[in-house]
Amino acid sequence: MTKQEIAQEITSEMVAEHGLTEDEFANIVKALGRDPNFTELGIYSVMWSEHCSYKSSKVHLKKLPTEAPWVICGPGENAGVIDIGDGQAAIFKMESHNHPSFIEPYQGAATGVGGILRDVFTMGARPVANLNALRFGAANHEKTRHLVSGVVAGIGGYGNCVGVPTVGGETGFDASYNGNILVNAMTVGIADQNKIFYSAAAGMGKPVVYVGSKTGRDGIHGATMASTEFSEDNEEKRPTVQVGDPFTEKLLIEACLELMSSDAIVAIQDMGAAGLTSSSVEMASKGGVGFALNLDHVPQREENMLPYEMMLSESQERMLMILEPGKEDFAKAIFEKWGLDFAIIGEITDSGNLTLSFQGDVVADIPINSLVDDAPEYERPWIKPLSRKPVDMDELEKPEDYNKVLLDLVGGPNLSSRAWIWEQYDHMVMADTLKGGRPGGDAALVRIHGTKKALAMSTDCTPRYVEADPFEGGKQAVAETYRNISATGAKPLAITDCLNFGNPEKPEVMGQFAKACEGIGEACRVLEYPVVSGNVSLYNETNGEAIKPTPAIGGVGLIENYEDAVSIDFKTDGHAILVVGETEGHLGASIYLKEIFGLEEGEPPFVSLGQEKKHGEFVRSMIEQGHVRACHDISDGGIAVALAEMCMAGDIGANVADESDSLSFQAWAYGEDQARYIIAAEEHCAAKIMSDAAIMGIPAFCIGTVGGKKLEIGNRISIDVADLKSAHQSWMPNYMAEENKKS
């Protein structure tokens, strides 16, 4: 042990600074049979952190459905794997990088993208698409513009340089994120099923190999930081934010994929949260073996690094692998060709321990099962969230000008065009992003190279709903990705999730988490849409103020022939406009109430999962049969906003009847009832759609026709499409222009 570490007396203050409770420390002493030294304390602190151990969430995550005939690998590996036919697999996952992105938005967001890319290519997949789910504070908050600018630049800067298209996502603004933004990154990759790589180490004496970039002091205690609330000292935490290099990541992808084409790799794991600690512990634990590592051999970019620093560093673009003996020189030549470090830093042992040596001394010797199997697992107390009262429609004023209402919605912070964002991303690199599935539609569509198949991908969550009723909100987040994918004609296959919540030690927050997980689980079961990977991000609050509960869902589906896919844009004069699904005018927890009246009241819409499945299957069958020319799911802003979006996308008008009947117009036009789609079809196809729907007991009504230069809805709304587009496209550029003036 080094002199510096011998001098480090383990005090109660030091234990608390490492995020460990007194009881947890007592369990560490029991597992070791002695007090830990400073390096061992650091290793336990990160492995037992919320971010790495899921100690508050495991009990609820275990209840989620994770299996289906097409699931090759569910949660537990670096990413989830599903069968997409022809011996191919889609590999995908979503993760959070919230705390780092608030502290240093560019590098926080950039390294979030880098980390999720590594999760996917470490399993043998070539990444083909990036997506994201972003939440910022109120538009008028002093930090919001700066954070938007930095995060978007970081995502674009990393993804563009590494050469993977960013094809979709969502961005929302709400005051609950003023002190704690959310940056959730998702990557999807393609691999051959017979070339999927896993992380379980095996084979006594086989070499443990470090590849990629050198280790520095950036990111130390990043996992611990992600497991605590923010406070006023956020700025002091800048040293814990990692620094990324996308060009090195690109080299690492190519070097790993080249080596993966051989038979040299036994197991492989990226160095993500907790760096060398988590990667070595996870590989050894899954294989039921021990690791002996010599830290003198770890490539370092800074002088005099201590074992504690090397083990906890979260420097980017690094991987750990087990090689077949005799393949070391072969592998080394590949990594040196790509200009990357390659070092044999240890070997597999039968000790069951993580044993670290440094400068001739053993500086840590820890039973691996104590780091994993003995990690805390809490069933934290929780209370069921209170139910809200329904919105009293009679108390709502009727707007005098419905044109202004629609313009305010499509031209406001939460429904305006995100082109300012996605135009900074290269969404066409690799040349497989399909025209109808580019950013701005319901789901991104990426062709599987060399085939007629395409993957459809979407990220979704409505935090307003989850806050109002976590169970229904959890269901709805899953159902909306299901609808968005179905609206393109693709079959939804599986989801990944990123569950962003506040402090789990508060029963009301834990209640939100527990009920949201119940809702997600029920939706996945009914829709046959399992969870195959994911991430939990807790302690998203500042000075005791929690974010809105935000369980972001990333859905992936498959269409067998991308030429059958449809997009949201109205296309031709005379096409009939149909609504599939029942409209009851639900305005509780709606964007209409929030943006127009400043109210966040009422229950969210009920999600009938049976209807979601039935309506989704019906819409997909109509698309497959060639009856549909455009399709869009109805979500935020109801029928009126969905129609406006279809008109703007196609640069063509529509004439729609006021079908409110017994409902008020505002409820019919802006209600957010679920399981609904708007379809455009040729007249004879529209008749076929409605006939088939009637036979199946599915509501389907013709409400108007495509054509002209205006969106007209009864005698209430008449707006030039050009004016809609002007309002829709101008908000974000105008908003961000103020940030550009500062810089």
Side-chain angles (χ1 to χ4, degrees), residues 149-170:
S149 178
V151 165
V152 171
I155 291 170
Y158 205 100
N160 295 353
C161 290
V162 85
V164 177
T166 301
V167 299
E170 58 169 355

Side-chain angles (χ1 to χ4, degrees), residues 414-434:
N414 282 301
L415 294 181
S416 59
S417 169
R418 300 311 190 222
W420 182 90
I421 293 175
W422 57 256
E423 284 174 354
Q424 297 183 54
Y425 306 152
D426 189 340
H427 57 276
M428 292 303 296
V429 65
M430 301 177 75
D432 283 320
T433 309
L434 298 173

Side-chain angles (χ1 to χ4, degrees), residues 70 478 481-482 485 492-495 523-524 527-531 555-556:
W70 52 90
V478 175
T481 67
Y482 185 89
I485 290 169
L493 292 176
I495 71 165
C524 290
L527 298 175
E528 299 178 278
Y529 193 36
V531 184
V556 175

Side-chain angles (χ1 to χ4, degrees), residues 138-153:
N140 61 1
H141 189 266
E142 60 183 1
K143 284 191 174 183
T144 299
R145 284 186 181 87
H146 167 69
L147 291 168
V148 171
S149 178
V151 165
V152 171

Side-chain angles (χ1 to χ4, degrees), residues 600-634:
E600 297 194 46
E601 295 181 0
E603 300 170 318
F606 174 72
V607 181
S608 169
L609 294 168
Q611 288 181 10
E612 292 285 3
K613 190 168 189 289
K614 189 175 181 180
H615 296 182
E617 289 174 343
F618 174 73
V619 166
R620 294 198 304 271
S621 71
M622 293 296 101
I623 293 172
E624 186 177 0
Q625 292 174 47
H627 300 319
V628 177
R629 293 293 170 265
C631 185
H632 189 16
D633 88 308
I634 300 174

Side-chain angles (χ1 to χ4, degrees), residues 47 52 54 73-80 93 95 119 122-123 197-204 266-270 277-291 320 322 348-349 352-353 367-373 532-534:
M47 289 307 300
C52 291
Y54 294 90
C73 178
E77 272 294 339
N78 287 291
K93 189 180 182 182
E95 280 202 343
D119 277 340
T122 193
M123 297 195 70
F197 290 81
Y198 299 97
S199 58
M204 294 306 125
V266 175
I268 184 169
Q269 173 78 37
D270 87 290
T277 289
S278 63
S279 56
S280 56
V281 169
E282 287 171 16
M283 293 181 83
S285 171
K286 288 174 183 175
V289 298
F291 270 23
L320 199 64
I322 308 300
I348 296 176
T349 69
N353 283 14
I368 285 170
N369 62 3
S370 75
L371 292 167
V372 180
D373 300 338
V532 297
S533 61

